Amino acid sequence: MLLPTSYKAFAFEEKHGKLQPVEVEWKDPQPNEVVIKVLACGICGGDEVVEQQSLPTGLPRIPGHEIIGDIVAISPTERQFKIGERVSAGWHGGHCFTCNDCRAGDFMVCSQRKINGIFCDGGFAEYATIRSEAIVRVPKGMNPAEAAPLLCAGVTTFNSLRHMTLKHGDIVAVQGIGGLGHLGIQFANKMGYHVVALSSSAPKKDIALELGASDYLDGSQSDQAAELQKLGGAKVIMCCAPDAKHMTSLLYGLANGGTLLVLGAPLEEFSVPALLIINKHLNI
């Protein structure tokens, strides 16, 4: 396969700057790395981490962590993946295997962890170099543009929801019907839960019901926490929009033993009513 000497990408070069076109010099993959030709890369709120420098990512930095592409180069020591395979990569960009957390199998909090598009260059480019432990194969029959967001928004909602202690028919409320929320509704519905969509926009009602919500509560028209209690209280509220004040108010919509699941994390702190947490055995 003929490989380029350089390729095009878009990078943030300064804090609060705009994405700029850049030319990147080709580098052969090192051990435990593959190079993929990018077919699709989703746009995520996490990309703002680089633009705002809310984490010290280093600049310039090519963002993008919902990546799908075909492998075009591997290192001589690569044994698991082959040139031509279609793979994908998400937020998790690799781990060290040797720190205490890695040895316990909790790679996401590895002390030396990589984050694609944050601490290493990501998928807003023609090619991306990804660590091989951080990729997964993708069926070639899937539309790359449709599947790419599953690598972050999809993993975030599905993986967190499957770890909740829930029974068939329990109420799962989904706050914020955007990039995370529209997938959260679908997963919760297919898992057999009673899904209540929470938003403050009337036009979101139709799409929420179409995706599988049984109820829609418009926060501009009603007290969502009070309405949830009328339904019996939510066992889980998936907070998909980063609104700290709203998250605090939604704690009052949980059933006894319920969980506020914070997925769209606000940068500011949010307050917690301690007596409510204690009296109702709530979890965050």
Side-chain angles (χ1 to χ4, degrees):
M1 180 178 293
L2 184 63
L3 299 172
T5 57
S6 65
Y7 55 89
K8 297 177 181 178
F10 282 86
F12 287 111
E13 297 184 319
E14 60 182 358
K15 183 176 181 179
H16 301 311
K18 295 182 179 181
L19 280 171
Q20 300 294 333
V22 295
E23 194 77 14
V24 181
E25 181 183 355
W26 174 271
K27 293 182 180 178
D28 291 330
Q30 299 302 301
N32 300 321
E33 292 180 344
V34 302
V35 179
I36 66 173
K37 180 173 177 58
V38 177
L39 299 176
C41 184
I43 298 173
C44 177
D47 298 325
E48 292 184 345
V49 169
V50 184
E51 185 264 337
Q52 297 176 5
Q53 284 296 289
S54 49
L55 290 175
T57 69
L59 293 171
R61 175 68 67 223
I62 300 169
H65 57 268
E66 297 176 343
I67 311 164
I68 290 182
D70 293 335
I71 296 177
V72 296
I74 58 177
S75 75
T77 59
E78 181 59 46
R79 296 292 179 266
Q80 184 174 1
F81 294 98
K82 299 177 181 178
I83 290 174
E85 288 191 292
R86 183 156 298 172
V87 296
S88 59
W91 179 268
H92 178 59
H95 48 274
C96 73
F97 293 98
T98 58
C99 70
N100 288 338
D101 290 308
C102 281
R103 290 171 67 86
D106 198 355
F107 306 124
M108 290 297 292
V109 291
C110 167
S111 61
Q112 303 298 318
R113 69 186 181 277
K114 301 287 187 180
I115 301 176
N116 291 319
I118 304 295
F119 297 132
C120 53
D121 287 336
F124 285 13
E126 293 182 290
Y127 295 88
T129 299
I130 309 292
R131 288 182 61 90
S132 57
E133 75 268 18
I135 59 176
V136 63
R137 293 178 178 89
V138 175
K140 288 195 175 182
M142 296 183 73
N143 183 324
E146 293 181 356
L150 297 177
L151 273 299
C152 183
V155 169
T156 299
T157 49
F158 173 77
N159 196 49
S160 57
L161 188 57
R162 76 184 179 96
H163 283 100
M164 296 293 100
T165 302
L166 291 164
K167 302 187 301 294
H168 187 275
D170 278 346
I171 292 177
V172 172
V174 180
Q175 172 257 358
I177 317 304
L180 292 170
H182 86 284
L183 289 169
I185 289 174
Q186 294 176 78
F187 288 135
N189 171 266
K190 297 303 182 183
M191 290 177 183
Y193 306 131
H194 180 126
V195 185
V196 181
L198 310 178
S199 187
S200 57
S201 172
K204 294 289 182 73
K205 179 177 180 179
D206 290 342
I207 185 64
L209 297 178
E210 181 182 335
L211 292 173
S214 298
D215 297 280
Y216 180 83
L217 300 178
D218 186 339
S220 67
Q221 304 296 323
S222 63
D223 182 333
Q224 291 173 332
E227 294 300 316
L228 284 172
Q229 288 299 337
K230 291 179 183 178
L231 293 171
K235 291 300 290 186
V236 168
I237 299 177
M238 301 176 69
C239 294
C240 298
D243 185 333
K245 185 177 180 181
H246 194 201
M247 289 179 188
T248 297
S249 69
L250 287 177
L251 283 165
Y252 293 88
L254 288 168
N256 291 338
T259 299
L260 189 78
L261 184 58
V262 180
L263 303 181
L267 295 179
E268 69 273 22
E269 296 179 354
F270 70 97
S271 59
V272 175
L275 285 178
L276 180 72
I277 300 292
I278 293 169
N279 291 337
K280 299 193 67 172
H281 294 186
L282 303 183
N283 305 282
I284 300 176

